Amino acid sequence: FFAYHHEEAYKCFLACLTLSPDCAFAHGMVALCHCPNYNFKGDAYYESTNHPEEERAVLAEAGVNGGGDISIMRRLYPSQQVAAKHALLAIEKIEELKRRHK
């Protein structure tokens, strides 16, 4: 994520999630990589990253291939939908960890 290499960081964190799908940190970083930043900000970001139909098509293709094909998921960048989904997954994983370690 360092030095504004958001897309490359996204690819690395996707790889982490293939090894550890319950990793809250990796889900949070995927979300962060997709969020507005210095290079993607304002209305232009939100207009250019809202493509739910493409996300559905890519996810359907990934499902056919077992869901672990990182090259398919890489096509969704940047995406508001991916950011929202992984942000919620990170929160769920953190809440699960809190319940386990009370």
Side-chain angles (χ1 to χ4, degrees):
F1 194 72
F2 180 71
Y4 303 103
H5 294 285
H6 299 101
E7 188 170 3
E8 192 60 34
Y10 167 58
K11 294 171 187 176
C12 292
F13 287 113
L14 274 181
C16 290
L17 288 170
T18 61
L19 298 173
S20 182
D22 291 331
C23 180
F25 181 76
H27 282 293
M29 292 307 293
V30 166
L32 187 60
C33 290
H34 281 272
C35 289
N37 57 61
Y38 185 81
N39 298 316
F40 298 110
K41 58 185 175 182
D43 293 336
Y45 170 83
Y46 289 104
E47 291 169 9
S48 67
T49 61
N50 188 16
H51 39 76
E53 300 81 18
E54 183 180 351
E55 181 191 20
R56 280 192 288 275
V58 168
L59 292 175
E61 187 176 337
V64 168
N65 293 321
D69 192 344
I70 294 172
S71 64
I72 293 170
M73 291 303 296
R74 286 180 180 169
R75 293 194 328 230
L76 285 175
Y77 184 83
S79 167
Q80 292 177 42
Q81 292 79 21
V82 173
K85 180 178 101 180
H86 284 278
L88 291 173
L89 283 169
I91 292 168
E92 286 175 15
K93 303 299 178 190
I94 290 169
E95 292 302 320
E96 183 181 319
L97 286 170
K98 284 180 183 178
R99 284 190 301 275
R100 277 194 216 163
H101 298 286
K102 274 194 169 181

